[in-house]
Amino acid sequence: MAELQVAAPAPVRTATLWAVLATGLLSMLLLGEGLAVNLVLVAVPAALAAYFAGQAAGRRPRAWAIVWGIGGIGLLTVPALRDAGWASFLAVVAAVALGSMALHGGRTWPAVLLGPIGILNALVTGPTWGWRGLRERSGGSRGNVGAGLRALAVTAVLLLVFGALFAGADAAFADLLGDLVPDTSVSGGPWRLLLLVLGLVGALAVAHTAAAPVQWDRVEVPAGRPRGRVEWALPLIVLTGLFATFNAVQLAVLFGGYDAVLKKTGQTYAEYARQGFWQLLLVTLLTLLVIVFALRWAPRDGGQDRKLVRAVLGTLCVLALVVVASAVRRMDMYVEAYGLTRLRVSVMAVELWLGLVIVLIMAAGVWGARWLPRVVAASAAAGVLAFGLMSPDGLIAERNVQRYEDTGDFDLYYALNLSADAVPALDELEEPLRSCALLSMAAELEEDDAPWYATSWGETRARDILRERPVSKDADWSSCTTLADELMYR
């Protein structure tokens, strides 16, 4: 790892230490009740710590680093907007990956794929680097460090005592203080302490990486041995012919109708769709793998070889896009038959992104591939951001409500597992189905007393809807279970 770093990190600045301390304190105070806008509030001082550390090391933010940073902050807004934990988890993971790329820089595939490893390494070296800087500012004296800690302790005590007195003297001030100040009960002390440590260590790791990033562009990937034209092209041409045959059959089915195919195969409409999608998704993944190895072993003797590579792989990519379209159509058929779920909307999003990657590979074959790694990474991050912002749970509920209005079929058991993001769509159902679909969400929202910084906009919107139109008092688990069984077995 050391040979990939340009130099040792510059000495830590005082501004960096203050930003690290702010990150730790905000982590301790804000992250204990859940994740929402508090993630953005914690990320801001951590980003400032990285900026100050990079500035001390003579690094200037480059255009792509700014893009990654803005994208990472944008992804952190998803938990503030959506209540769905699974979509928020994807957004947070993608935000960490973008933040790592902003700190390390780089434009090659190793830089895009291995960047997060540098952050993990800095989890050990960062705190050591920060402690060394703290000791230097105290003149190496333990007494000075202790004096600073005692000053912080006295400050906390003064705020606690006088804050409690002012709260007791004025009810309005007490309400304001209760809304702004997080709950710091003794029972949550160990958890708060852990969050403080995680915030400090994470911010120091981020700052250390900004001061001494790992240069993943220096990782050399040996080029593959070029093959002869026949050895390289023959398997790919045969594969292209197979793709063309399959796509021709798909077009014949499309124009000839599905009834004849279903009658011949003995499958139901849903079975035909479900069987096809997963195989076609795997075909898309394997096609990308074939393209990667084909480019690695492609002949490179001259202009004729370049034309051959572009012609063969370009044709394969075009046919692969038809396969992507067929896979998406299969999933749409399956959703029509059985409704939309989290798994189905997720894999459909992945399939569409794989199709975009194929388009980008085709563009790289025309204009060069120098930009390809970063653009593929940016497209993945943009896809995760769009996926979170479109409210997948809301989309699932909306699609299933529409299906219920068209067919009378509705999976009530599945709707009960959706997040508060689904409340606006489920609110459109007729009674008593509406109250049954919202029964568990209403109970969870009523019990949840998370503070404002740990409450998403989706939860707030759901509470407003349920406050205006509460669930029916006649709705209970027994009657709703009966209704769910009736809908399932009708």
Side-chain angles (χ1 to χ4, degrees):
M1 187 75 70
E3 62 271 14
L4 298 179
Q5 290 181 324
V6 176
V12 61
R13 292 177 56 186
T14 303
T16 302
L17 292 176
W18 279 113
V20 167
L21 178 61
T23 305
L25 292 176
L26 288 176
S27 299
M28 178 183 68
L29 296 174
L30 302 182
L31 297 183
E33 287 82 13
L35 301 181
V37 72
N38 48 9
L39 271 178
V40 179
L41 297 177
V42 171
V44 169
L48 289 175
Y51 173 76
F52 294 140
Q55 193 178 51
R59 296 186 67 194
R60 295 181 178 180
R62 296 186 177 181
W64 274 102
I66 295 174
V67 170
W68 301 137
I70 294 174
I73 296 296
L75 284 163
L76 290 181
T77 64
V78 172
L81 297 174
R82 304 302 175 203
D83 182 52
W86 63 291
S88 296
F89 174 78
L90 291 175
V92 172
V93 171
V96 172
L98 286 192
S100 176
M101 293 175 64
L103 295 171
H104 288 96
R107 64 186 63 182
T108 63
W109 283 113
V112 170
L113 299 176
L114 301 178
I117 296 178
I119 288 287
L120 297 178
N121 178 65
L123 291 175
V124 178
T125 57
T128 304
W129 171 70
W131 177 252
R132 190 184 307 120
L134 184 63
R135 291 293 301 275
E136 289 173 357
R137 271 150 189 77
S138 63
S141 170
R142 293 185 179 180
N144 289 337
V145 175
L149 295 177
R150 287 193 296 271
L152 290 175
V154 171
T155 302
V157 170
L158 291 175
L159 288 176
L160 179 62
V161 172
F162 283 92
L165 291 173
F166 283 132
D170 188 279
F173 182 79
D175 291 338
L176 177 63
L177 203 62
D179 292 336
L180 297 179
V181 177
D183 179 19
T184 54
S185 59
V186 176
S187 60
W191 173 236
R192 298 284 182 180
L193 182 60
L194 177 61
L195 290 174
L196 172 64
V197 172
L198 291 177
L200 293 174
V201 171
L204 285 171
V206 167
H208 182 274
T209 304
V214 179
Q215 302 296 307
W216 293 111
D217 281 339
R218 295 184 177 184
V219 176
E220 295 183 2
V221 179
R225 182 172 67 87
R227 308 290 176 172
R229 294 182 183 178
V230 174
E231 181 185 4
W232 180 86
L234 180 60
L236 293 176
I237 291 175
V238 172
L239 180 63
T240 301
L242 180 62
F243 269 68
T245 303
F246 175 81
N247 290 335
V249 172
Q250 296 303 293
L251 292 176
V253 171
L254 178 63
F255 290 107
Y258 291 99
D259 293 338
V261 176
L262 298 180
K263 183 177 180 180
K264 184 176 181 180
T265 61
Q267 292 178 309
T268 65
Y269 186 77
E271 288 173 344
Y272 178 77
R274 177 176 58 186
Q275 179 189 27
F277 175 80
W278 294 105
Q279 284 87 338
L280 296 182
L281 176 62
L282 184 59
V283 165
T284 307
L285 290 169
L286 291 178
T287 301
L288 288 173
L289 197 61
V290 167
I291 292 172
V292 169
F293 285 105
L295 289 172
R296 182 175 174 80
W297 295 324
R300 310 184 189 94
D301 288 341
Q304 293 298 322
D305 285 341
R306 287 193 294 272
K307 291 180 181 179
L308 174 66
V309 171
R310 289 180 177 178
V312 173
L313 293 185
T315 303
L316 182 61
C317 286
V318 171
L319 295 175
L321 289 177
V322 179
V323 171
V324 170
S326 179
V328 172
R329 173 56 185 152
R330 297 287 184 106
M331 179 53 70
D332 189 56
M333 292 167 57
Y334 191 48
V335 169
E336 288 178 6
Y338 288 110
L340 191 60
T341 64
R342 290 172 174 174
L343 177 62
R344 292 163 196 166
V345 72
S346 300
V347 294
M348 184 180 290
V350 170
E351 181 71 22
L352 291 172
W353 177 71
L354 292 175
L356 175 61
V357 172
I358 293 174
V359 172
L360 293 175
I361 291 174
M362 295 172 64
V366 178
W367 293 296
R370 184 179 179 87
W371 49 268
L372 186 61
R374 290 182 291 188
V375 173
V376 169
S379 69
V384 173
L385 178 60
F387 189 74
L389 294 181
M390 77 175 185
S391 182
D393 275 10
L395 178 64
I396 292 168
E398 183 179 346
R399 183 70 180 268
N400 290 340
V401 168
Q402 183 62 49
R403 176 171 171 266
Y404 171 74
E405 294 175 352
D406 295 338
T407 66
D409 296 329
F410 190 80
D411 190 344
L412 179 56
Y413 286 120
Y414 192 84
L416 292 173
N417 295 318
L418 296 176
S419 66
D421 297 331
V423 169
L426 297 177
D427 184 55
E428 301 297 326
L429 290 168
E430 60 185 12
E431 293 290 358
L433 183 56
R434 172 191 176 274
S435 292
C436 286
L438 297 176
L439 187 61
S440 62
M441 297 180 196
E444 292 176 3
L445 291 173
E446 185 177 353
E447 295 175 359
D448 188 9
D449 57 349
W452 64 271
Y453 50 80
T455 302
S456 68
W457 179 76
E459 291 177 279
T460 302
R461 186 183 180 192
R463 281 196 178 94
D464 292 340
I465 292 174
L466 292 172
R467 189 180 299 113
E468 294 178 3
R469 294 181 296 278
V471 298
S472 173
K473 295 181 179 179
D474 297 331
D476 55 41
W477 292 114
S478 176
S479 61
C480 289
T481 300
T482 302
L483 178 59
D485 291 339
E486 291 176 355
L487 290 171
M488 179 176 293
Y489 297 112
R490 67 167 48 183

